[in-house]
Amino acid sequence: MSTQPLNSSQVRVVGGTEHSWCKAVLGGTGIAVLAILTTKNPDISLLRNALHKLQNSHPIIRSRLHYNPSGNAFSFVTSPSPFIQVKSFNQLTTSNILENLYNKQENQNTSPLHLILEHELNQNAWTTSGNSSNTKTDVFFASVYALPGAKWVVVLRLHASACDRTTAVSLLRELLTLTGMNEEEKEMTNKTEVSLAIEDLVPKGKAKKTFWARGVDMLSYSVNSFRLTNLKFKDTKSPRSTQVVRLLINPEDTKKILSGCEARGIKLCGALSAAGLIAAHSSKWRSSSDHQKKKYGVVTLTDCRSILEPPLSNHHFGFYHSAILNTHVIKGGEKLWELAKKIAMENPGLTSSSSLRTSLISVFEDTVIDESNDQQKQVGLEDYMACASTHGIGPSIAIFDTIRDDGLDCICVYPSPLHSREQILELVDGMKAILVDAGKNADEN
């Protein structure tokens, strides 16, 4: 639907997938966070100016979500000018936030960057966006946290309807480019209108094909659609939040794993999915303790930009992913490469029912590749973590994978206290062991 002027702003009604995210975020799924650890004190004014340039270039992050209670409808209302402000937390305030988080025993060995990421994943500015009392909410927020030892964490938090993983990757790279430039070099193309939703860019004549008709809406679900095995729930009554566990594999072992994938013509997501299913099936935390074969669900998220009409670039901000649901029967004793090939070869069924809700694992079809460069060094980037919340509708574990400086870096997201950190740490440690062992034996079938 084309945009229309409203009080000097532009308005576009959200598409079907975007509307699903508007509903999901209310419950805690779809808060996208990029947390950047830097050794250089960010100049708040320069950072704000860089973010304003990004807002000028990408109208969707210059928008607010408008809710019309009479029609139960959401729209993007795009401001003619950028408006984001940077919220700054001094060292004392940051220390108080971290102290409250460190009071939990399970957080004792967790880094400040990790805890700030989790803290931001659970800051939901949109909990009232579906109520008449608060009808407009920004889709983009920025904060800076000061840490001891001359370090800072810059955090960008976005609504998922405006930010899929491809958007988050491009956002980081464009921000690093802008903050590393001289002021006079910071020229970007200004755009006025939010682009069309994914449903409005489906190639002509293909809207009724299975891929498009059923795959776009990844958040609809029916609890009774499938009888799938999941991890054992630890606490179903307490309020939920999102937590993460990080899976790191050194460059040497990562190279062997990638070589094993390449030799078999499969993507890394197949190996990650297989490792997750094998680890879960052998885990003491499985929802069923018997040793019979069980059926599990795996959701693979696929970026559709290149197959839309017209095709979109990776620098086209918004949400343009579809979900593919596969189910796999695991009996125990499967080898990683055997199962990974099966996962890669099966013809997936895209579904609008029971995808994220009933799946054990969610992965991305394509892995992000990131190498350290002069831009990162210039701005003092030491580390970063990026993912989205999952404690509303979501899988047991969502994996955001990156190959960083030749090593595998996975942010594994899960709903807490539905699952405990101990439970997910054991699962992730099991996945790592399975992947590393398979890499070392990649010549075997």
Side-chain angles (χ1 to χ4, degrees):
M1 184 177 293
S2 61
T3 56
Q4 298 175 348
L6 176 67
N7 298 330
S8 75
S9 296
Q10 298 284 334
V11 179
R12 174 171 76 71
V13 176
V14 300
T17 299
E18 294 163 343
H19 187 269
S20 293
W21 281 118
C22 290
K23 292 297 186 182
V25 168
L26 293 176
T29 290
I31 302 169
V33 175
L34 171 61
I36 306 162
L37 178 65
T38 176
T39 56
K40 289 190 176 180
N41 189 356
D43 183 311
I44 299 299
S45 177
L46 292 178
L47 175 60
R48 184 179 63 247
N49 288 343
L51 293 174
H52 281 184
K53 288 183 181 294
L54 286 171
Q55 283 192 309
N56 275 330
S57 186
H58 304 285
I60 198 164
I61 61 172
R62 198 173 71 240
S63 302
R64 293 182 171 95
L65 275 173
H66 175 266
Y67 177 67
N68 180 356
S70 62
N72 189 28
F74 292 88
S75 300
F76 290 116
V77 179
T78 306
S79 169
S81 57
F83 53 83
I84 191 170
Q85 298 298 315
V86 180
K87 193 171 184 178
S88 184
F89 298 91
N90 61 29
Q91 193 170 314
L92 177 60
T93 306
T94 302
S95 295
N96 289 336
I97 292 171
L98 292 174
E99 184 178 350
N100 288 334
L101 297 172
Y102 277 126
N103 283 336
K104 297 181 180 179
Q105 184 64 36
E106 62 178 9
N107 293 338
Q108 293 296 311
N109 298 319
T110 309
S111 73
L113 172 65
H114 187 140
L115 289 180
I116 289 172
L117 173 78
E118 289 187 346
H119 174 70
E120 285 276 340
L121 285 167
N122 296 293
Q123 302 302 303
N124 194 341
W126 302 282
T127 51
T128 56
S129 61
N131 301 325
S132 58
S133 60
N134 182 17
T135 58
K136 281 187 183 178
T137 314
D138 298 357
V139 301
F140 186 24
F141 297 87
S143 302
V144 174
Y145 294 82
L147 298 175
K151 293 186 179 182
W152 295 263
V153 177
V154 178
V155 178
L156 307 180
R157 174 164 38 94
L158 301 98
H159 193 285
S161 64
C163 181
D164 58 12
R165 189 176 69 154
T166 302
T167 297
V169 171
S170 295
L171 179 61
L172 171 62
R173 291 173 179 170
E174 291 184 22
L175 178 62
L176 291 177
T177 298
L178 286 170
T179 52
M181 286 180 173
N182 296 322
E183 192 62 35
E184 59 271 16
E185 296 176 319
K186 298 178 181 179
E187 291 298 327
M188 296 186 72
T189 303
N190 290 352
K191 297 180 181 178
T192 58
E193 296 185 356
V194 172
S195 299
L196 296 176
I198 185 173
E199 292 83 0
D200 297 318
L201 297 171
V202 174
K204 292 179 181 178
K206 295 188 177 181
K208 294 184 179 180
K209 300 287 186 181
T210 300
F211 183 93
W212 296 109
R214 306 179 65 198
V216 168
D217 184 5
M218 67 181 68
L219 291 165
S220 298
Y221 68 95
S222 167
V223 174
N224 295 319
S225 292
F226 294 99
R227 290 184 174 273
L228 299 178
T229 306
N230 218 312
L231 294 180
K232 187 181 296 182
F233 294 152
K234 298 290 290 182
D235 181 348
T236 60
K237 296 181 180 179
S238 300
R240 293 182 193 171
S241 62
T242 290
Q243 292 186 336
V244 306
V245 164
R246 201 169 189 177
L247 187 163
L248 296 169
I249 296 180
N250 65 49
E252 182 182 354
D253 287 329
T254 298
K255 183 178 180 180
K256 294 175 182 176
I257 295 166
L258 294 177
S259 295
C261 291
E262 184 177 0
R264 291 162 178 81
I266 61 176
K267 294 187 175 183
L268 179 61
C269 63
L272 290 172
S273 300
L277 296 184
I278 293 169
H281 192 74
S282 61
S283 170
K284 67 180 180 182
W285 301 111
R286 191 157 53 89
S287 59
S288 177
S289 59
D290 62 64
H291 297 287
Q292 297 177 353
K293 61 183 180 181
K294 296 292 179 182
K295 182 184 286 187
Y296 298 86
V298 175
V299 165
T300 304
L301 299 173
T302 302
D303 188 348
C304 295
R305 283 171 174 79
S306 64
I307 56 174
L308 296 175
E309 192 177 279
L312 306 179
S313 78
N314 287 346
H315 293 276
H316 203 105
F317 286 15
F319 197 96
Y320 296 100
H321 275 63
S322 285
I324 301 168
L325 174 68
N326 261 327
T327 58
H328 303 281
V329 174
I330 307 296
K331 60 182 183 296
E334 286 87 353
K335 299 295 184 182
L336 181 123
W337 296 122
E338 169 195 357
L339 182 57
K341 282 193 291 185
K342 181 181 176 185
I343 289 174
M345 290 173 62
E346 284 188 351
N347 184 25
L350 277 85
T351 178
S352 60
S353 62
S354 192
S355 55
L356 289 187
R357 166 62 86 180
T358 55
S359 64
L360 173 70
I361 296 173
S362 173
V363 295
F364 288 88
E365 180 185 12
D366 295 309
T367 301
V368 174
I369 308 295
D370 185 39
E371 300 293 337
S372 295
N373 53 44
D374 291 339
Q375 277 184 352
Q376 295 183 3
K377 294 174 183 175
Q378 188 174 350
V379 300
L381 187 150
E382 188 171 285
D383 195 6
Y384 68 87
M385 300 173 72
C387 61
S389 63
T390 63
H391 58 271
I393 299 168
S396 286
I397 184 168
I399 302 174
F400 295 75
D401 60 314
T402 304
I403 303 295
R404 295 180 57 193
D405 294 330
D406 301 323
L408 180 60
D409 183 355
C410 296
I411 309 301
C412 305
V413 187
Y414 63 95
S416 170
L418 197 63
H419 302 304
S420 68
R421 200 182 294 278
E422 176 193 6
Q423 186 181 16
I424 303 300
L425 273 171
E426 184 197 276
L427 177 68
V428 169
D429 286 345
M431 289 176 60
K432 179 177 180 177
I434 291 165
L435 287 164
V436 170
D437 180 68
K440 292 177 178 177
N441 298 285
D443 292 337
E444 300 178 5
N445 291 329

